[in-house]
Amino acid sequence: MKTSAYHTTNEVYPVAALICAILVAAVLGGAGVLALRHQISTTARHTQEMQRSISEIERRLNYLDTKIAEVNQPAYLRHRAAELGMVMEPPARNQVVRLRERRVDDGAVAAREDRAGRRERSEPFMQTFDLAVMEPLRRLD
């Protein structure tokens, strides 16, 4: 049996096309894997940076908590009063004024107004936070 050149050429093209398709699929698959690995690497770096940032914020928060606790201790307050030359003694009976919270019609606590007419709320946490933040600045003066 003799095969003609025409039949051989027709059989080579589909095989060559199949090989080319396999190569294109392999190259595209490799490029996809490379892109995914790059994305994973970028995400891992970003995650590490965020973890470092979180740990730094936690350290600062612990420092502020420590400062707040330190500033609120009676021994520290006595020491600071002595440093500033203030004499601490119990208040006289006429120096103690007890205030009642003024209630509005809906039962909510009314906010105080200062002389400029601004409404002010007494929030102990904010005041102690301010003390903790300002304490290192006072030491620099």
Side-chain angles (χ1 to χ4, degrees):
M1 243 185 157
K2 189 174 175 188
T3 57
S4 68
Y6 178 73
H7 289 294
T8 307
T9 308
N10 282 341
E11 294 171 1
V12 171
Y13 285 135
V15 173
L18 182 61
I19 291 174
C20 286
I22 290 172
L23 287 175
V24 167
V27 168
L28 289 177
V33 168
L34 187 64
L36 287 174
R37 285 188 181 194
H38 177 69
Q39 183 68 30
I40 290 170
S41 170
T42 302
T43 304
R45 258 183 304 184
H46 182 68
T47 302
Q48 287 176 344
E49 289 172 6
M50 293 304 290
Q51 286 175 342
R52 278 190 224 113
S53 175
I54 288 171
S55 65
E56 178 64 28
I57 290 170
E58 284 176 347
R59 273 195 297 271
R60 281 194 268 167
L61 182 62
N62 289 336
Y63 172 76
L64 288 176
D65 286 343
T66 303
K67 282 300 180 187
I68 289 170
E70 179 183 312
V71 168
N72 286 327
Q73 298 227 352
Y76 177 79
L77 294 173
R78 274 189 234 109
H79 174 70
R80 284 293 290 163
E83 279 181 352
L84 297 172
M86 297 191 303
V87 178
M88 292 184 66
E89 57 187 37
R93 187 171 180 87
N94 61 351
Q95 288 178 321
V96 177
V97 177
R98 302 212 186 267
L99 299 175
R100 290 191 185 111
E101 293 178 345
R102 190 175 60 171
R103 303 224 177 241
V104 290
D105 293 337
D106 65 351
V109 177
R112 292 184 296 163
E113 290 188 16
D114 64 2
R115 292 184 186 188
R118 293 184 304 245
R119 295 177 68 82
E120 172 189 332
R121 280 195 180 256
S122 176
E123 296 183 12
F125 176 75
M126 291 304 294
Q127 292 171 359
T128 55
F129 180 75
D130 291 342
L131 287 173
V133 171
M134 296 307 289
E135 181 62 26
L137 297 176
R138 279 189 245 150
R139 291 181 186 167
L140 294 175
D141 291 340

